[in-house]
Amino acid sequence: MRACIFIIGLLGVVFEANALYDSRDDVVELTPDTFSKRVLNGDQVWIVEFFAPWCGHCKNLAPEYKKAARALKGIAGVGAVDADQHKSLPGQYGVRGFPTLKIFVPGNSKPIEYQGARTADGIADAVLREMKNLVNKKLGKSSGSGGSSSGSGGSGNDKDVVQLTSENFRKLVLDSKDIWLVEFYAPWCGHCKNLAPHWAKAATQLKGQVKLGAVDSTVYQELAQEYGVRGYPTIKYFPAGPKDSNSAEEYNGGRTADDIVAWASEKAAENAPPPEVVQLTNEKVLNAACSDNQLCIVAVLPHILDCQSSCRNDFITELKKLAEKYKKQKWGWVWSEAMAQPKVEEALEIGGFGYPALAVMNSRKMKYSLMRGSFSFDGINEFLREVSFGRGRSAPVAGAKLPEVQSIEAWDGKDGKLDEPDDIDLSDVSLDEEENPAKHNEL
């Protein structure tokens, strides 16, 4: 009888030695039945560890995992699955090593693999973050509305940094026409913490031009894997317009706010559409082109009777090509028909050498420079290049203000036609001498 008791006691000791968690811990030991009931069909966020009793790393994690479970008790579920006893569950969720931690969020079809720090703080932070995302989702708010990784040492707390998740990444980044810079970070990463204030400052300065986002790679591992992230922080550039997962490019700029802003502004300028070349039909057009830009280009084309639609369109096409070439300069571009805007031509000395003609006006300094070379792509390009370097002759605009513009009808795109003389109605004029004897007698 004593031998039996000894053997049973010995088995109990062996079992206790192999088990990482017991009923005294706040870690819930899960089986396939309880897993389905409590985790999959429950209404709270769970973090689940898949472990093996013989695994050294699992044994090292156990104290921190228990500590996290105590902290999250009554707030979120903290569970553990013995992969040796319940092999179906690890296989179902692609577990290939131990320990593997996964976060299960109600409503999400797939769990989120946790790859953060193996500490109680790291585990608790990740769970609380997913709980916040779940609440925001139920409120109909974007998960990224509050900045990235607040207090976690990620990318700062600034509201202009958008926190990106597996759920909103496609909608906000790939399906948008906006330019994005996306930082993939880890909360425990020292370089990420150093980048945080610069990233937040750049996000504010670039607002309206380029959007800055952040992905917690320890939580959204699938996103990090999809974009080949191997270290932290990694920054990816997504250009404007339609995008897919192959659109991402490596950011190769500096890590200060000024560096980020300069790099992103350059990309924004490259992606910006060229300015329109607009006909000068009223004062509003001139104000928009010249007052809102440092320089504006004013071209005066021959009269439509001297240069029909095909000829005029050729000139306008060349101007559009030049507007594309110099779009980074953010200049305004307008054109007018010869003598349609006499005050403008007078103020810029246009017309003295014939048409077409072109001048550049600086509305801030109220000075202008008249092109005297050939009106061709190469000729205008050479002139504008000199102007952009601050070279060439200039003169003050008369009255130190924008010239007066007459309101006229826009060109209809058709050829010009000479005005036909009015028909003379001779129906009341008689040429019969017999019907006008008086006049006959006078002769």
Side-chain angles (χ1 to χ4, degrees):
M1 183 69 177
R2 290 180 180 176
C4 292
I5 294 173
F6 175 77
I7 292 172
I8 292 172
L10 183 61
L11 288 173
V13 171
V14 173
F15 177 78
E16 287 292 332
N18 286 336
L20 296 184
Y21 309 104
D22 58 36
S23 59
R24 294 170 296 179
D25 300 318
D26 295 305
V27 178
V28 179
E29 292 194 74
L30 297 166
T31 66
D33 291 337
T34 58
F35 188 91
S36 178
K37 180 179 179 180
R38 303 190 65 174
V39 178
L40 300 183
N41 297 318
D43 57 1
Q44 68 176 159
V45 174
W46 277 81
I47 184 164
V48 177
E49 176 198 3
F50 296 86
F51 73 93
W54 44 262
C55 163
H57 293 297
C58 302
K59 293 176 182 178
N60 293 335
L61 173 63
E64 291 295 314
Y65 199 60
K66 292 176 184 179
K67 184 178 177 181
R70 285 195 299 272
L72 293 168
K73 187 175 182 179
I75 300 173
V78 179
V81 174
D82 186 335
D84 275 1
Q85 291 189 48
H86 311 292
K87 292 183 172 59
S88 61
L89 284 175
Q92 184 177 345
Y93 293 102
V95 175
R96 297 179 180 176
F98 307 115
T100 292
L101 281 73
K102 292 182 180 284
I103 301 175
F104 293 79
V105 180
N108 287 8
S109 58
K110 294 181 179 180
I112 300 161
E113 185 157 352
Y114 175 80
Q115 285 196 334
R118 300 295 175 89
T119 64
D121 285 345
I123 293 167
D125 283 345
V127 173
L128 292 175
R129 188 159 50 248
E130 289 309 319
M131 291 177 67
K132 180 180 179 181
N133 289 342
L134 179 61
V135 172
N136 285 339
K137 186 176 180 181
K138 290 182 177 180
L139 290 173
K141 294 167 60 179
S142 168
S143 298
S145 61
S148 73
S149 296
S150 179
S152 66
S155 287
N157 303 320
D158 195 276
K159 63 180 180 180
D160 295 321
V161 177
V162 181
Q163 186 176 1
L164 298 167
T165 69
S166 299
E167 289 73 31
N168 67 16
F169 194 90
R170 171 162 290 280
K171 179 181 178 181
L172 296 182
V173 180
L174 298 183
D175 292 344
S176 77
K177 296 180 180 179
D178 300 315
I179 302 172
W180 280 84
L181 280 178
V182 178
E183 177 204 0
F184 293 83
Y185 72 93
W188 44 262
C189 162
H191 292 299
C192 303
K193 294 177 182 179
N194 293 335
L195 176 63
H198 296 282
W199 195 246
K201 184 178 179 181
T204 300
Q205 293 183 14
L206 289 167
K207 196 171 183 179
Q209 299 183 62
V210 177
K211 291 188 175 181
L212 268 64
V215 174
D216 185 341
S217 301
T218 65
V219 177
Y220 305 105
Q221 184 196 11
E222 65 277 17
L223 280 178
Q225 290 177 342
E226 183 175 358
Y227 292 102
V229 175
R230 293 189 175 91
Y232 308 119
T234 291
I235 301 173
K236 297 283 184 175
Y237 161 72
F238 294 82
K243 297 178 274 290
D244 56 29
S245 58
N246 296 320
S247 301
E249 301 174 19
E250 289 291 334
Y251 169 84
N252 54 11
R255 298 299 174 92
T256 68
D258 290 343
D259 291 334
I260 296 166
V261 170
W263 195 94
S265 297
E266 181 75 12
K267 289 295 183 180
E270 291 176 4
N271 283 273
E276 292 186 70
V277 180
V278 186
Q279 184 181 2
L280 192 53
T281 55
N282 53 54
E283 288 187 5
K284 186 177 180 181
V285 173
L286 187 64
N287 282 329
C290 297
S291 296
D292 296 341
N293 301 289
Q294 183 177 5
L295 297 179
C296 59
I297 287 78
V298 181
V300 180
L301 306 181
H303 193 279
I304 192 65
L305 293 177
D306 298 325
C307 175
Q308 293 286 6
S309 59
S310 177
C311 168
R312 176 173 290 184
N313 283 325
D314 286 343
F315 284 132
I316 294 175
T317 297
E318 293 301 293
L319 291 173
K320 288 181 177 179
K321 290 179 182 178
L322 288 156
E324 168 73 34
K325 178 179 176 64
Y326 288 94
K327 67 179 181 179
K328 292 183 182 180
Q329 306 290 347
K330 297 182 179 180
W331 294 339
W333 295 72
V334 296
W335 70 271
S336 177
E337 183 179 73
M339 298 309 298
Q341 301 295 346
K343 295 293 185 181
V344 175
E345 293 187 33
E346 180 183 349
L348 304 180
E349 292 187 296
I350 290 177
F353 299 94
Y355 305 99
L358 183 140
V360 174
M361 181 165 54
N362 185 326
S363 61
R364 298 174 187 174
K365 296 181 179 180
M366 277 301 159
K367 291 187 176 183
Y368 71 92
S369 181
L370 179 66
M371 185 183 76
R372 302 183 186 276
S374 66
F375 197 97
S376 62
F377 181 92
D378 291 337
I380 299 172
N381 179 50
E382 179 63 23
F383 171 67
L384 294 179
R385 192 173 69 85
E386 293 294 307
V387 168
S388 67
F389 289 138
R391 296 197 287 261
R393 292 180 296 175
S394 64
V397 176
K401 63 179 182 179
L402 292 179
E404 180 184 338
V405 178
Q406 297 180 4
S407 294
I408 61 172
E409 292 292 326
W411 177 45
D412 59 8
K414 299 178 182 179
D415 285 338
K417 293 182 180 180
L418 288 170
D419 293 335
E420 296 182 3
D422 295 334
D423 292 336
I424 301 175
D425 187 1
L426 301 177
S427 59
D428 295 333
V429 179
S430 175
L431 301 178
D432 191 340
E433 292 183 356
E434 295 181 357
E435 292 183 6
N436 195 357
K439 187 174 182 179
H440 179 70
N441 292 333
E442 289 176 0
L443 295 175

